[in-house]
Structure formats: C-alpha cells, structure tokens
Amino acid sequence: MKQRRFLSILLTSGLILGTLAGCVPGSGSGTSKNETQEAPKEEAAQEPVQEQETETAGASAAEENTTSGETQESSYLPLCDPGSETLSILTYQNWHASAYYDSEEGLAIENEIEKITGVNIDWECVGSGDYNTVAQTRLASGSELPDIIRIPNGTTGLADYSSQGLLVNIKDYINETDTPNLYRLFNEQPVYEAQATSPDGNIYGLPHAEFDINNYVLMWNIIRQDWLDKLGLDMPTTIDEYHDVLVAFRDQDPNGNGKKDEIPLGYQNDQMFGLYTFKEAFGFNNTDVWSVSDDGMVAFDLMDDKFLDCLTTLNQWYAEGLLSTTTDGSDSDSLISQDRLGGQTVSSTDNVIGKDDLVEATNPDGHYVFIPALTNENYPDNKPTISKRQSFHDYYAVTVDCTNPKLAVQWLDWVYASEESATLRYWGFEGDTFTEENGQRAFTDKVVNSGTSAIDVMRGLGGWPNFVGNESGEPFRAMYVGSYFDEAYNQFKDIMSDRVPIAIGTEEENKIYTEKWPDIDTYVRENVVKFITGNRPLSEWSAYVDTLKSMGIEDVVAVKQAWYDRSQEVMQ
C-alpha cells in the first residue's frame, strides 16, 4: 500500500544509509471526496532509535469515516491515478513518542492524504536535533535528492541551495488551474507570497507558517492573579503600579507560609534577557527587539536611548530584590511548584495554563494570567502592542532531482493551502476527533479528555504535523475550551502586532547578516543582563552603543530594512 523506508543514522560516523526514490512522472484526473482535519503542537521529541509500528483507534476511524469536515468534490483530485505515483520527502520525524510518519502502516491522517491526492509518499524522517546535519549532508552531495525536502537553516539555507541550482522555481507551476489553493492563498493573504518570494522574484520553497495560529497565542509576561486578590491589589496597568505590586509580593507574604520567601518575578523564554520586553512601557510600540515606524523605517530598539530608561528601571528592580537572581530562569518551575513565584517573563498562552497545573499541588487556587500592556506617564502618547511570535520559518522545497515537479507542486498546493487539508490535519476526522454543529466545531472527548494532552492525541494520528505546516489557530484554541485561553485571546487580540519579518535575502545580505548578527545578538544579550544586575554600570551605555556600531549593527539594520521593503512590495 505504501512505500516507506526508515532512515538509520549512525551518529558516530555521520553515515546515512539509504536514499530516496525519485519522483515518478505521470498525471491523472478525476474526482474524489476530501476529508478534512486539524491538530495542535508541542516541543519536538527525540529521534526514535528504531522504527515502531503504531496502531491507533484513529486508523480504523479513518477507514470508517471516508468523508469528514467540510467535504467537497474537487475536479483536480486525485492528482494522479491512485497509487500510480510516489513522491519522496525528507523531513522531521513526528513529534510524538511512538507514532512515526515512516512506520509500516502509516498514520491515519497521512494515509488519508495519500487516499485523497492519489500520491504515495516515501518518507525519510529524521529527529529534529539531527535534521540539519543530515539534510546538509544530502544537499552537499548534490545527487539522489528527495523530491521534497525541508530546507535546513531557514531563509539563508533556501537562498544558498537555490543559488546552487538544487531547487526548482515552483512559481512556474503556480496558477489558478493547476494550484488553485496556493493561487487563492497568495491573493487573499499576500504575506505568504511575500515570505516565499526570493530577491530574484522566484519562489523556491513554501515557509512553515504559524501566521494564523500566532493570532491566537500570546507571548507576554504573567502574574499571579490569586496573589493580587489575596492582597487586595488591582491588576497593575502602569509601570509604576507594576513595581508596587512586585514590592507587595516581596513583603506581604502572599503565599501565606509565614516566610519572606516569595520571588516577585522570574523568567521563562529568553531567560533574564526577556525583561527587555518591558520596553513597551518606555515609548516603544512593541515587545520585540526590532520595530517599524509609521513611515516604514526599521530600527533596532535596544540601542535607542529610551531603552536606557527601561534598563534603569530594571536595574532598580534588581537592586530592590524584586527579580530572581537565577539569570537563566532554571529555577522558575521549581518556584512555581513551591507556590513562591509571583510572575514570569515571556510565557505563551498554552504554557500559562500549564503553570496553574504546576502550582496546583501546593496551592489549588494558584492562577497565572497575563499582565496588560503597561503604560508610563513619561511616555503619554505611546500605544504599546504585544509582539506575536515569528510567523514563518523553515522552507519546503522541490529539488531538481524530482522528475515530476508539477505533481510535487500540486501535492504541496493541496496539503499546504487547501481548506480540506487544514481541516484534516488540524481537526481530524468528523465524528471521531471533532464534531460540527451550526458551523461551530469542537473536539471530542477522545481528544480533550483522554488523560493526555490534546495535541499528543492528534499527533498520534498524524495531526498537527511538522512537515509542510500551515498551522491553524481555531483548532488550537478549541483544545483549551473552557480555560484561560479564550479570556486571554479576547483581551489581547486587538493589540497584537507582527514582528519585522526574517525574509529571504540576497547573497550579500545573507553574508552580512550571518557574519555580523550572531555576535551582535550575543553581545546584546550578555550586556542587557549585565546592565540589569549592575555588573556593568549604566554609565557605560554610550560605550555599549558605540560597540554595537563598530560590530556592524547599522549594516544589519540596513539588511532588515531591505527585507521589510521587499516584503511590502510583494504585498502591494
């Protein structure tokens, strides 16, 4: 039924055994009914040591439910006579402990994709931790490449391998007839085309997209709502009120154990450096290190003198004992479980919900929520927003060894951009993993009340895949129905802003960025922490800025400006 091959990697020697079959030429026509589904996301699991066969209840459900979701007939499906064509794909292994894309029986959702498209998939899967090394080795050989590959090293990798002539310009195949879904997506949401377009105007790959889901998932700073309530404090709305709350957390024993053992504020993502996000209260319009002015000028905010005001405040907080002294944030989960942590920087919505689970064993009333975007009387005209996560990363490309690139692009078109595929991959099978009534979908108990995480259930069926991803927000939100997720979404949805994009650069731009930005980034992170802790005096701010200029920050800003400008041009 399927042609599958398990990739064995001898990590000690770096030897990769086996190669992928080439794309078989051919074409087909006909009509099929499409099943639709979707699913959630988590951190990558380690690469499996050996192949395992996985049987799931979803497999039988997939066979029983030959139609699901918004089933509709599509004149261009299947893409070929069913089973007559095979495409090989090199990508990450599934982020599930025991359900593998390349298992002998396959996974329910991937099997359904094969049924709908008519195209068999020959999987070559590698754990995410080893993937770049493996993919780089394959691409360096320049021969016997898979038909479709997840490009290592993001935009830089895409530019590099396309310049070497290893990737197909898929723009030649994108039109209203052959790839109606990509055609529609690019017209309705031109940001996708902008992120896929190289400086030469060609398209060599499709980006893994979190554009939609990032409209739902906040990344911001959190606070103990139950501690505020216990101390009779209102939610702070200004930077000064927030300071006073931290002082109260330090001094007024909100955990009620009779000890002065509370840590008012700790760190999650970006460790202590994540405190820079409070810059939004100091005249900046977002919580990212980059910003774009109303007239379209890109700036690196952590060298602006307004950021010195922010650092001065953070330095004061540290001196007053309001901040955790564990700068890498490694003690945060322990402090939460001990009912001792009043807040945390840069947490995501789904992680916030998990914090309540951590504190519950010690304090059943423990509850973390996001703080509002804080204002500052010294910057009365500022209207801060909360920056979304980066919306696009990594690319899926068709290689020059594919003998039927049109078929490969048509397969990508349906999997990446069709509504049917989005339902199938992120919701699952109607009647099994989700129900729909009056246009409203909800996950079944099988997904949300299984005793394990909803996303893990879906990934066990092959949902919320880490290949050719275009992640949807509504099904992710539905996994947390009845939780704090909806409250947070409704509170912040109108003040979330996109980050300055990481676009596909020219050879010169990539050279500047890869040579200069990593050292600058390290220097900034180290010195922001030093300024906060007092290990570098604030009086050396000007020397810090001068060093950034000598390291080439202005060249990097110019590159980011070029990326932004080109993206805007495509979107016009």
Side-chain angles (χ1 to χ4, degrees):
M1 171 177 153
K2 296 180 182 295
Q3 298 180 17
R4 300 183 183 274
R5 188 181 302 119
F6 183 75
L7 177 69
S8 297
I9 303 173
L10 302 179
L11 295 179
T12 56
S13 64
L15 178 64
I16 303 170
L17 301 179
T19 57
L20 291 175
C23 179
V24 181
S27 62
S29 62
T31 303
S32 79
K33 294 190 175 181
N34 299 326
E35 251 183 40
T36 53
Q37 305 182 345
E38 289 189 29
K41 106 188 184 185
E42 284 177 347
E43 295 186 359
Q46 294 297 315
E47 179 190 3
V49 177
Q50 61 184 21
E51 181 179 12
Q52 300 179 24
E53 287 191 11
T54 303
E55 294 183 3
T56 66
S60 59
E63 294 173 1
E64 294 172 6
N65 292 279
T66 56
T67 60
S68 64
E70 298 175 356
T71 302
Q72 65 180 51
E73 293 189 352
S74 302
S75 61
Y76 63 96
L77 290 170
L79 301 174
C80 61
D81 292 334
S84 66
E85 307 289 356
T86 297
L87 291 172
S88 55
I89 297 179
L90 175 59
T91 186
Y92 286 179
Q93 184 58 273
N94 190 15
W95 287 341
H96 186 279
S98 59
Y100 307 144
Y101 300 133
D102 53 4
S103 64
E104 184 63 29
E105 295 303 317
L107 302 179
I109 287 172
E110 278 64 45
N111 291 347
E112 187 67 14
I113 291 173
E114 292 194 0
K115 177 181 176 182
I116 291 169
T117 63
V119 180
N120 287 340
I121 298 300
D122 188 359
W123 296 97
E124 187 172 359
C125 299
V126 183
S128 58
D130 301 309
Y131 183 80
N132 277 7
T133 299
V134 173
Q136 287 166 357
T137 302
R138 292 292 299 277
L139 287 160
S141 74
S143 63
E144 297 186 345
L145 297 173
D147 300 317
I148 298 171
I149 185 171
R150 182 177 185 137
I151 295 294
N153 302 324
T155 56
T156 303
L158 188 77
D160 184 25
Y161 296 119
S162 62
S163 70
Q164 295 179 38
L166 297 177
L167 309 179
V168 172
N169 173 23
I170 68 174
K171 186 175 182 179
D172 292 341
Y173 300 95
I174 297 176
N175 57 68
E176 192 170 6
T177 302
D178 295 320
T179 55
N181 301 295
L182 282 171
Y183 184 86
R184 172 190 53 79
L185 180 66
F186 285 0
N187 278 279
E188 293 179 357
Q189 299 188 68
V191 65
Y192 280 85
E193 183 176 10
Q195 284 296 129
T197 301
S198 291
D200 61 6
N202 293 328
I203 296 176
Y204 298 102
L206 298 175
H208 185 103
E210 296 177 1
F211 181 74
D212 185 62
I213 195 174
N214 284 351
N215 293 320
Y216 295 80
V217 181
L218 193 69
M219 289 289 286
W220 182 223
N221 304 329
I222 61 175
I223 195 170
R224 283 286 293 271
Q225 178 67 60
D226 59 306
W227 283 11
L228 290 172
D229 296 341
K230 183 174 181 178
L231 300 181
L233 301 173
D234 292 329
M235 177 66 72
T237 59
T238 71
I239 197 71
D240 289 337
E241 290 173 356
Y242 184 74
H243 165 265
D244 293 344
V245 164
L246 295 181
V247 171
F249 283 179
R250 181 194 65 191
D251 295 341
Q252 297 182 29
D253 192 26
N255 66 11
N257 67 357
K259 304 175 184 178
K260 193 174 181 179
D261 61 351
E262 291 84 355
I263 305 297
L265 183 59
Y267 326 113
Q268 186 175 349
N269 292 299
D270 276 333
Q271 304 176 359
M272 178 181 267
F273 175 70
L275 289 165
Y276 80 85
T277 54
F278 285 104
K279 77 184 184 68
E280 54 81 38
F282 292 85
F284 296 101
N285 63 12
N286 66 25
T287 56
D288 190 15
V289 299
W290 299 94
S291 65
V292 180
S293 65
D294 291 340
D295 58 355
M297 298 304 296
V298 174
F300 181 63
D301 288 347
L302 304 196
M303 61 185 291
D304 188 301
D305 283 348
K306 295 192 300 293
F307 188 59
L308 175 59
D309 290 348
C310 178
L311 287 175
T312 301
T313 295
L314 296 173
N315 174 267
Q316 174 194 339
W317 291 359
Y318 188 83
E320 293 177 3
L322 305 179
L323 306 179
S324 171
T325 58
T326 306
T327 59
D328 66 359
S330 59
D331 62 342
S332 286
D333 282 354
S334 175
L335 291 171
I336 290 171
S337 65
Q338 296 172 50
D339 194 23
R340 294 176 54 201
L341 191 66
Q344 198 173 38
T345 56
V346 199
S347 188
S348 64
T349 310
D350 47 323
N351 281 332
V352 174
I353 296 168
K355 305 301 178 188
D356 287 0
D357 294 335
L358 269 180
V359 74
E360 191 175 61
T362 307
N363 184 349
D365 297 323
H367 181 41
Y368 286 93
V369 298
F370 290 111
I371 64 172
L374 300 175
T375 59
N376 187 334
E377 64 179 9
N378 294 325
Y379 299 92
D381 298 327
N382 191 44
K383 293 181 173 57
T385 64
I386 308 301
S387 298
K388 301 175 187 177
R389 302 178 300 178
Q390 193 63 252
S391 291
F392 299 94
H393 58 88
D394 291 342
Y395 285 78
Y396 303 90
V398 178
T399 75
V400 292
D401 282 355
C402 179
T403 57
N404 193 348
K406 179 178 178 180
L407 178 66
V409 177
Q410 288 180 308
W411 186 86
L412 288 170
D413 167 76
W414 189 85
V415 171
Y416 185 82
S418 74
E419 293 180 4
E420 298 95 330
S421 173
T423 304
L424 177 63
R425 302 173 86 207
Y426 297 102
W427 282 100
F429 298 94
E430 186 171 13
D432 180 47
T433 58
F434 79 97
T435 59
E436 183 168 354
E437 186 174 352
N438 298 323
Q440 297 296 313
R441 291 177 180 167
F443 283 110
T444 62
D445 284 345
K446 173 179 179 175
V447 176
V448 295
N449 291 312
S450 68
T452 187
S453 71
I455 195 163
D456 206 44
V457 173
M458 291 301 299
R459 283 194 170 139
L461 302 175
W464 284 87
N466 51 28
F467 68 92
V468 197
N470 188 3
E471 299 183 12
S472 299
E474 275 297 331
F476 193 69
R477 179 183 177 187
M479 290 184 172
Y480 296 95
V481 65
S483 72
Y484 173 62
F485 195 106
D486 269 351
E487 181 184 339
Y489 168 73
N490 290 323
Q491 179 181 355
F492 289 94
K493 63 183 180 181
D494 295 328
I495 62 165
M496 294 172 68
S497 58
D498 293 321
R499 292 177 184 261
V500 178
I502 299 175
I504 305 167
T506 64
E507 182 177 356
E508 179 61 23
E509 289 166 355
N510 288 337
K511 184 174 185 293
I512 291 171
Y513 192 77
T514 56
E515 287 183 356
K516 297 186 177 184
W517 175 247
D519 289 340
I520 291 172
D521 184 44
T522 299
Y523 176 78
V524 169
R525 289 172 179 272
E526 290 176 349
N527 281 274
V528 164
V529 170
K530 288 179 181 178
F531 282 133
I532 293 171
T533 59
N535 289 326
R536 183 171 187 179
L538 293 167
S539 59
E540 293 186 7
W541 169 259
S542 294
Y544 158 82
V545 173
D546 289 343
T547 300
L548 284 176
K549 291 179 179 178
S550 70
M551 295 177 75
I553 185 61
E554 290 165 323
D555 294 331
V556 176
V557 171
V559 168
K560 295 284 282 189
Q561 184 71 59
W563 291 352
Y564 177 79
D565 291 343
R566 279 203 303 273
S567 297
Q568 295 302 302
E569 288 172 9
V570 174
M571 292 171 62
Q572 294 303 316

